[in-house]
């Protein structure tokens, strides 16, 4: 078909938005040249090239037969398409899925990094691909790939384009494309684009995933779609969904929160990819993954819009994991959480067995930035016996420390720059030597104030309110001496109801875990059991709570276990633990 014939309404290249764009007559040369190669037959003969997605192993049962959601084949949507290239081992390839992103340059496509690694200079993107039609009969034409943008920290396993490592969180790529055969920009041709969106939670009620399964699983060449809830892939910054039909070819598929058929817009929060290219080894459970968009993907998109490759020399990506491995984290003796960097997001402070003190800035999504040393190994801080972070009458969070000799000091100006000045709160050999545990919270309900709950060796509990520099304010005994509370192994104050105020988590010596909501000067409030007696939680050695995830509430529980494994229980409630994310893997 001639170029002139492509302008007619029958082939769909001239949408209302495109007609108003007045393209440069010289534009589209690359697409027209590509169209001379990409005949309908070559597109039909293209083989799948997508190592990240596999068919279910063995005959098995379909997803529908096992009661799982099943993707639906349909004619596709203008905002999603597939790629074709000529670099396959046996000729032309049908390769992955891409989607149109709304940007100021109007020519950006989203896909997976493990897909883009294979794209050379002859690749084309085809929105709403139609099987059996040549380039000139495609609804919006074809778009030549000019340049791809991949985070250089994305490091595939040797001999593969995918990885199961932490950098699978970075399995996102953007490509800039030249105009189609008709000289139209991508967004002008399709009439819109998806809005890049950072999700506020891994748990979404309805996300629609749209992709193009490869020919061997999809002889009609149609797109597949599935609308399902999502969760988090534990220990990764990735979304997970369960739905059948997402075989090879669907890598790069957009995960859209407000999808409508043939819509001109929508919000995309991730792309199919991530761990092992977006699924488990055999995909027998029909689970797919997607990196959840965050600052890394946002920066990469900004690079694509600016036409600049991201900086090549960057530190390795550690993902949700904290650095050092389990052997090191066995030496994490104390932990506290507060906003020490001043960005309204909780950070994690650790005192090590050698007296070193480090700070891990939180990113608000359950991950942490680069480790910052506040103090190198020293003999003084080996005597720290209990710590807790809180405002304590100041304008910024500080750190309260009870030492082995009964002295208590406050560091009211602790920050990423260091521990700051020290204020004595109780002298050495004071009665505070009998305090076993400290935890903080807004136990008397005053906005912005932080109080301290102290458990003594005799089992009594003391609540200190209106604490300020140099004074513990008002002290009140909540529980007298008793045998029960001598068995409280760990305490952590938090906001487990999802509202302002303070609640309390208690890990008992038998491994059970209880919450006390509504703790105040009037008493311990309502008790609920989260975990019954067990041997697993007897191995919880250190715990703290903080504002570490996207709901911006102090309900995220961090636990360091006896083997050094460290877990984050995101959004822990008054009656149930939150989703467990592994920050430090065992055996590392």
């Amino acid at each position: 078909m001639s170029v002139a014939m492509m302008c007619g309404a029958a082939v769909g290249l001239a949408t209302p938005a495109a007609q108003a764009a007045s393209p440069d007559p010289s534009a589209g040369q690359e697409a027209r040249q590509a169209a001379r190669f990409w005949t309908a037959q070559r597109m039909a003969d293209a083989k799948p090239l997508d190592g990240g997605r596999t068919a279910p192993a063995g005959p098995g049962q379909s997803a529908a037969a096992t009661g799982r959601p099943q993707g639906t084949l349909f004619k596709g949507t203008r905002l999603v398409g597939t790629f074709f290239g000529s670099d396959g081992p046996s000729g032309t390839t049908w390769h992955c899925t891409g989607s149109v992103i709304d940007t100021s340059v109007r020519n950006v496509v989203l896909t997976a990094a493990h897909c883009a690694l294979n794209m050379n200079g002859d690749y084309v993107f085809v929105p709403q691909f139609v099987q059996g039609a040549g380039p000139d009969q495609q609804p919006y034409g074809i778009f030549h790939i000019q340049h791809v943008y991949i985070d250089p920290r994305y490091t595939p396993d040797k001999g593969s384009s995918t990885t199961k490592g932490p950098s699978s969180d970075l399995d996102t790529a953007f490509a800039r494309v030249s105009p189609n055969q008709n000289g139209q920009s991508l967004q002008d041709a399709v009439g819109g684009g998806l809005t890049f969106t950072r999700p506020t939670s891994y748990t979404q009620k309805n996300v629609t995933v749209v992709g193009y399964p490869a020919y061997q699983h999809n002889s009609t060449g149609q797109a597949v779609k599935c609308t399902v809830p999502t969760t988090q892939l534990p220990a990764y910054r990735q979304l997970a969904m369960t739905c059948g039909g997402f075989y090879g070819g669907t890598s790069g598929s957009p995960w859209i929160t407000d999808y409508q058929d043939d819509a001109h817009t929508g919000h995309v929060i991730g792309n199919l990819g991530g761990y092992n290219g977006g699924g488990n080894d055999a995909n027998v459970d029909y689970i797919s993954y997607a990196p959840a968009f965050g600052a890394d993907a946002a920066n990469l998109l900004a690079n694509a819009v600016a036409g600049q490759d991201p900086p090549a020399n960057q530190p390795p990506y550690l993902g949700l994991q904290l650095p050092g491995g389990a052997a090191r984290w066995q030496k994490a003796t104390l932990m506290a959480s507060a906003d020490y960097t001043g960005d309204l997001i909780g950070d994690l402070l650790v005192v090590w067995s050698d007296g070193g003190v480090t700070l891990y800035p939180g990113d608000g999504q359950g991950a942490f930035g680069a480790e910052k040393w506040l103090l190198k190994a020293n003999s003084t801080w080996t005597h720290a016996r209990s710590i807790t972070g809180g405002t304590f009458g100041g304008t910024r969070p500080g750190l309260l420390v009870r030492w082995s000799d009964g002295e208590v000091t406050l560091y009211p100006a602790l920050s990423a720059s260091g521990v700051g000045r020290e204020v004595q709160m109780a002298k050495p050999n004071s009665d505070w030597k009998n305090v076993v545990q400290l935890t903080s919270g807004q136990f008397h309900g005053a906005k912005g104030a932080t109080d301290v709950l102290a458990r003594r060796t005799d089992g009594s509990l003391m609540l200190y309110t209106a604490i300020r520099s140099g004074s513990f304010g008002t002290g009140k005994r909540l529980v007298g001496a008793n045998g029960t509370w001598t068995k409280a192994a760990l305490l952590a104050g938090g906001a487990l109801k999802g509202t302002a105020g303070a609640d309390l988590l208690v890990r008992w010596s038998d491994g059970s875990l209880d919450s006390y909501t509504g703790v105040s000067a009037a008493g311990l409030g309502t008790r609920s059991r989260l975990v019954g007696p067990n041997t697993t939680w007897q191995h919880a050695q250190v715990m703290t709570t903080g504002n570490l995830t996207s709901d911006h509430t102090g309900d995220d529980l961090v636990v360091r276990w006896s083997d050094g494994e460290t877990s984050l229980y995101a959004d822990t409630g008054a009656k149930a633990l939150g989703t467990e994310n592994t920050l430090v893997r065992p055996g590392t």
Side-chain angles (χ1 to χ4, degrees), residues 73 133 166 176 201 210 215 217 220 246 260 271 309 332 367 381 384 421 444 460 518 538 540 582:
L73 293 175
R176 285 184 63 153
S201 173
V210 180
Y215 183 81
H217 302 292
T220 64
F246 286 83
Q260 292 183 12
N271 60 271
D309 285 318
W381 280 76
R421 62 189 178 92
H444 76 298
S460 60
Q538 288 179 330
T582 304

Side-chain angles (χ1 to χ4, degrees), residues 34-100:
R36 287 193 285 271
F37 173 81
W38 281 110
T39 62
Q41 187 61 48
R42 280 197 171 112
M43 284 185 168
D45 291 342
K47 303 296 190 295
L49 181 65
D50 184 358
R53 306 295 298 158
T54 56
Q61 291 180 303
S62 70
T66 57
R68 300 185 182 98
Q70 174 67 36
T72 302
L73 293 175
F74 75 123
K75 68 177 183 178
T77 171
R78 67 181 67 220
L79 300 181
V80 181
T82 188
F83 299 93
F84 288 89
S86 61
D87 61 341
S90 58
T92 57
T93 60
W94 175 354
H95 183 56
C96 292
T97 297
S99 56
V100 183

Side-chain angles (χ1 to χ4, degrees), residues 46 251 324 487 525 527 539-540:
S251 286
K487 299 174 183 177
R527 174 185 173 185
H539 290 280

